Each structure stands twice: as C-alpha cells, then as structure tokens.
Amino acid sequence: MRERTGRRVTALLTAVAATVLLGPGAAAPYGNGGRPSFTLRSHEPFVLPADDPETGRVDARAAVPRLTPAFENTGDVPAARGVVLAVKVSNAVFDVVGAAEGHDNCYYPVGGSSVFCEFPDAVPVGAAYETAEPLPAVTSEHVTVEGAYRYAVWPLGDPPPYAEDYKSSGRRGSEPALGLVPVAGDTVEGGGELRFASPSNSKKADWKVKGVTLRGRVGEYATAEMANIGDGAGGVRVELPPGTSFAPLTREEREGTPSEISTCWQDDLDGHIQCGGQPNYEDLRVRIDRRVDGAEGKVSVREPIEGDTDPTNNTAPIRLEITDTAPPGKAAPPVPAEPGASPAPDAARDAGRPRKAELAVAAAAAALALATVLFTRRKRARQAGDPG
C-alpha cells in the first residue's frame, strides 16, 4: 500500500513538474516533442491573357488560373489529427456565393478573399498531398489585374497565434468534402504562392527598397516611417530585429490619426509584418522588449513577375538603436488586442519569458527532487521495517 502511495506521489509531482515546464496539456500532442511543419508547392508566376492586347483588358474569371495547393510534412512527427489549409487571394475574390455552394469541410469568410479547409486524416512525416481538385475560380473588378494566391498549412487544432478564426468569421459549405490525393515529395519544393498579372502589370522592372532605423529605449515603442520606402507592387515585407515585437495602433489611436495615415499589419498566414506602402504615409511601430547586441531585421520587396533588372537592391536592413532603459513608470504598456481580431504579440509577456522560463525550470526541479526524496524515504522505511 505504501509503495503504491509513493508511486502515486512521484507520478503526481512529475506531472506537476511537466505542467510547470510545458504548460497545461503538455502531455504532448506530438509524442516526442517534435512538431509537424510543412513545405508548400512552388508555383510559377502567370501572365494573364488579355482580351484586348492594346488596353490590357482581362476577363479575370476566365483568365486567372485556378489554384491546386500542395504540401509535404517535413517536420519531425506526424500531424496525427490532420491539417488545415488556409488560402487567401489578393486583388480578387473566390467566386463562391450562396449557402449551398462550397465544400462541407471548408469555411468561406465574409468578403470572399479566403478559404479554409480542414482535412481530419493523419499526415505522416514525408507524406505529400495536393487537393483532389482546384479551388474555386476567382473574379476581379479590376481591368488590369495584379494579384496572388497565398496559402499556409498547420496542424488541425493547433493554429499559429496569428491565424484568423475562420469558424467564427465564415460560413461552412454544404457540397461534398474537398479531398486530398498523394503526390511525389519532389513536386513540393517550397513556395505557397501563385502570382498572376495582366500583361501591362508584368513587365521587367527594378523594384527596390531602402533600409530603416528604429530608435528608442527598452520597454518603449519605436516608430519608423515607411512612406515611399519600397518601389514596387505589393508593398514590403518586414522581419523585425531580435528583441522587438510588433505593436500596431489601437483602434482609438487609429481613429485619432489623419485619414491618410495607416499602419503595417501582421500577416495571418506566415506571421511576418507587411507594410502596403499605399497611401504614402505609413508607420511601422514596434515595442523594444530587450537589448540584443547586433540586432538587425530586414525589409524586402518581391521581384516583378517577369524578373527584376537589379535584384541586389530588393532587401535592406532594419537597424535597432537603443539609447537607454526606460525610467520607472515611463515604459509603454502592451497594445491590447481588439475584439474579434487576431491578437498581436504581447510584448510585456514576451519580454518576461526568459525570467518565467528560469522560474519554471527551478519549480520543476524542486518538484522532481521532492518526489525523489519521498520515494527514497518510503523505500528505506520499508527495508528497515519502520511502520512510519
């Protein structure tokens, strides 16, 4: 009886230690602690055929190619519960209307620019699939079209923190489910984007970008003006310097700024920051969480569909200059998430993670040590015939 009790105590304290270290539900959805990750198909850019070569007029619904996404699990463990495929299209919308249209394993958010499909079958490591049929056709009101399909895949039930809540923002289709069919892994080489453009928007050009500098104190916001920083369609992509986190304006702050000022946003497919560059007054705002020596980020633009005449200037650095630590009471608070929006990274939480990790390790070690002591004492007591 005492032996069973000792084992229960040990098991309980070990579970407590695991929970302290890894958080609730740490019994590991992925077995050995690895995680599924996915490589996506690379799609060649597509120049749309023009109905009228002189004006570049395009019938988008007939001209834009339909997307057949594909992915391979290149992670450490299977996606045992299945996967979610998230697809967005820019400068166009999916031509799916009415409650009776769309696959019943897919969700279609209001606005028509995205589709989310759930595939509940396990995806083993090394397995590659494509959708059994292309996604719905898209349509656009623009005469000269320039847009792209972009997609991402993540484990079902384990979305990234920046992902859209598609079940609350979209309706579910009612037609038979969209399926997956196996493909060779060498057909999935990395990408997840299919760009398309009218002939007038696809010419070779020199798209370029300039670097920026963020200045401020640890614990405070820093802002960089992004006006005219990039020359090229589609805006710029931002990779933040280590030690910083994205801090978008609150709703109140946005409503209090002049109408021509907008903000950069966090992409809900890959988590990177995007800055549109239109209109001309655009700010990137971050919170400086901690000092990281030599911290440097990157801002970049894509190439034109037909190629860039000088690709060497398509990236530039984001430098971080920290003056000193913010005095007590002067640190900027984290930006609260708006209702219904994907939460922005909580800078205060992120900044405190190293200290919390140290406390978690110490607590786990103490719990395991206590379990060992209790078990050893009970074992010695039994061997000595001590009834206590």
Side-chain angles (χ1 to χ4, degrees):
M1 179 66 180
R2 286 181 301 198
E3 182 178 357
R4 287 198 300 270
T5 302
R7 288 175 180 172
R8 288 172 185 165
V9 171
T10 303
L12 175 61
L13 291 176
T14 301
V16 170
T19 302
V20 171
L21 277 172
L22 303 175
Y30 306 120
N32 66 4
R35 195 176 192 280
S37 61
F38 303 93
T39 299
L40 310 176
R41 171 171 284 165
S42 179
H43 303 264
E44 289 294 324
F46 188 85
V47 178
L48 307 178
D51 296 337
D52 185 342
E54 292 186 5
T55 63
R57 183 178 295 274
V58 168
D59 178 0
R61 195 182 194 287
V64 175
R66 293 178 65 181
L67 174 70
T68 302
F71 62 90
E72 179 184 7
N73 182 0
T74 52
D76 304 316
V77 295
R81 295 177 55 189
V83 297
V84 174
L85 168 68
V87 185
K88 292 184 178 286
V89 62
S90 59
N91 208 19
V93 294
F94 287 100
D95 198 7
V96 179
V97 294
E101 295 189 18
H103 299 283
D104 68 4
N105 62 329
C106 298
Y107 294 80
Y108 303 87
V110 174
S113 62
S114 57
V115 175
F116 297 80
C117 297
E118 298 181 343
F119 302 97
D121 294 328
V123 178
V125 174
Y129 298 95
E130 68 179 12
T131 55
E133 59 186 85
L135 294 183
V138 301
T139 185
S140 174
E141 298 178 355
H142 301 278
V143 174
T144 55
V145 182
E146 180 171 11
Y149 297 99
R150 297 174 53 249
Y151 60 96
V153 174
W154 59 74
L156 183 59
D158 186 22
Y162 44 79
E164 178 182 341
D165 182 6
Y166 57 87
K167 289 189 176 180
S168 66
S169 63
R171 65 169 182 83
R172 184 175 178 178
S174 58
E175 295 181 350
L178 178 65
L180 296 174
V181 294
V183 295
D186 59 7
T187 66
V188 184
E189 299 178 349
E193 181 180 61
L194 194 168
R195 300 170 61 194
F196 51 84
S198 304
S200 58
N201 284 344
S202 62
K203 298 182 169 117
K204 183 175 275 194
D206 180 20
W207 289 2
K208 52 186 175 292
V209 68
K210 298 178 288 188
V212 296
T213 299
L214 295 165
R215 295 183 179 89
R217 299 182 291 191
V218 173
E220 293 188 336
Y221 292 136
T223 301
E225 187 177 293
M226 305 297 283
N228 302 316
I229 193 171
D231 180 9
V236 299
R237 169 171 151 158
V238 174
E239 297 177 36
L240 294 178
T244 66
S245 55
F246 183 50
L249 296 174
T250 63
R251 178 183 300 165
E252 292 76 13
E253 287 171 322
R254 286 204 311 271
E255 291 174 350
T257 59
S259 60
E260 71 271 21
I261 295 181
S262 59
T263 62
C264 303
W265 66 94
Q266 185 174 37
D267 192 298
D268 57 8
L269 285 182
D270 62 17
H272 286 290
I273 311 305
Q274 304 287 336
C275 299
Q278 296 293 333
N280 288 331
Y281 299 95
E282 186 131 1
D283 290 337
L284 168 69
R285 187 167 74 155
V286 304
R287 188 179 190 276
I288 302 176
D289 300 322
R290 63 189 184 278
R291 182 185 296 272
V292 177
D293 292 338
E296 190 172 277
K298 183 172 71 173
V299 59
S300 60
V301 293
R302 298 181 299 179
E303 287 189 354
I305 282 183
E306 292 290 357
D308 199 307
T309 59
D310 181 14
T312 62
N313 56 15
N314 288 12
T315 64
I318 299 177
R319 295 183 175 86
L320 178 62
E321 294 183 3
I322 297 179
T323 54
D324 56 14
T325 302
K330 297 295 185 181
V335 177
E338 295 183 15
S342 296
D346 186 331
R349 177 196 63 207
D350 292 344
R353 275 179 178 163
R355 176 59 179 160
K356 288 180 181 178
E358 293 172 7
L359 294 175
V361 171
L368 288 173
L370 178 58
T372 302
V373 169
L374 286 173
F375 186 74
T376 302
R377 290 178 63 182
R378 289 179 182 276
K379 183 176 179 181
R380 287 176 178 171
R382 288 198 308 273
Q383 290 173 347
D386 184 349

